[in-house]
Amino acid sequence: MISLAGRHVLRCLPLLAGLLLIASGCGPKLGELHGKVTYQGKDVTVGTVSLRSDDGQTANGVINKDGTYVIEKVPVGKTMKVAVGTPRAEGKNERTGNSAPPAPKGGDKVPPGVPPEAMSSRDAAHGKGYTNLVVPEKFGDYDKSGLSVETKGGKQEFDIPLK
C-alpha cells in the first residue's frame, strides 16, 4: 500500500519530468546572428536581413545606420537562406504595393564608384537628408539571393558582402 505522501509524489512526477526537460534545455535551441551588410564595398544603412529555413522557420533583423545588423532567436543547426531588403529608389514594391519615399533633392552625394540608380532616399522625408544604398532586388528574394548560412548557436558573426 502506498502512503498518502507517496501518492502525491506519483501525481507530481509528470510535472517534475516536464520541468526537468525545460531546465535541461530540451526546448528549441536559439542563437544570435550578427554582422555587417555591404554592397560593392559600401555600407548598406537601412533595410532588413531575413532568414528562412527549408522547414519554414524565419528570423529577421534591421540593418542599422552603420551597416550592422543583429538577429536574435535564430533557430540553431539549420541551413538558413538569407534575403537582404532595402527601400526601392522609386516606384512601387511589387509584392506589397507600397510606394518608396521620394528621391532626395540635392545635397546628397553618391559615393564614388556607385551607380546613381543604386541610391535611394533614406529618411529624406523625415529631414535627415542622407542616402541609402539600394541593393539589387534579387538579394531580397530567398531563392534568388544565392545567400545562406549554417546557424550554430550562441553569438555567430555573419557579414554579408553583396556584389
Side-chain angles (χ1 to χ4, degrees), residues 22 30 33 37 44 52 56 66 70 75 95 110-111 118-119 143 149:
I22 291 170
L30 300 174
L33 196 67
V37 182
V44 175
R52 185 185 72 197
D66 61 357
V70 175
R95 282 186 276 178
V110 177
M119 302 300 291
D143 297 318
V149 60

Side-chain angles (χ1 to χ4, degrees), residues 5 11 33 39 44 57 61 63 69 71 74 79 83 113 115 122 125 135 139 148 150 158 161:
R11 276 190 247 154
L33 196 67
Y39 175 60
V44 175
Q57 291 181 304
I63 300 172
Y69 73 94
I71 304 174
V74 175
T79 299
R122 176 189 157 96
V135 302
F139 293 115
S148 66
E150 292 287 329
F158 180 68

Side-chain angles (χ1 to χ4, degrees), residues 58-146:
T58 61
N60 303 292
V62 174
I63 300 172
N64 300 308
K65 292 179 188 179
D66 61 357
T68 61
Y69 73 94
V70 175
I71 304 174
E72 297 176 339
K73 298 182 182 176
V74 175
V76 173
K78 304 227 175 241
T79 299
M80 305 288 283
K81 290 183 178 181
V82 179
V84 176
T86 57
R88 305 282 25 117
E90 36 186 78
K92 289 191 176 205
N93 180 309
E94 291 176 17
R95 282 186 276 178
T96 65
N98 294 335
S99 294
K105 301 208 185 308
D108 292 332
K109 296 187 179 177
V110 177
V114 175
E117 62 272 11
M119 302 300 291
S120 80
S121 170
R122 176 189 157 96
D123 297 328
H126 303 291
K128 294 185 181 170
Y130 52 94
T131 58
N132 172 58
L133 216 49
V134 174
V135 302
E137 287 188 37
K138 73 175 187 174
F139 293 115
D141 186 313
Y142 293 111
D143 297 318
K144 295 179 183 174
S145 72

Side-chain angles (χ1 to χ4, degrees), residues 44-64:
V44 175
T45 60
V46 67
T48 58
V49 176
S50 301
L51 308 174
R52 185 185 72 197
S53 66
D54 286 338
D55 63 1
Q57 291 181 304
T58 61
N60 303 292
V62 174
I63 300 172
N64 300 308

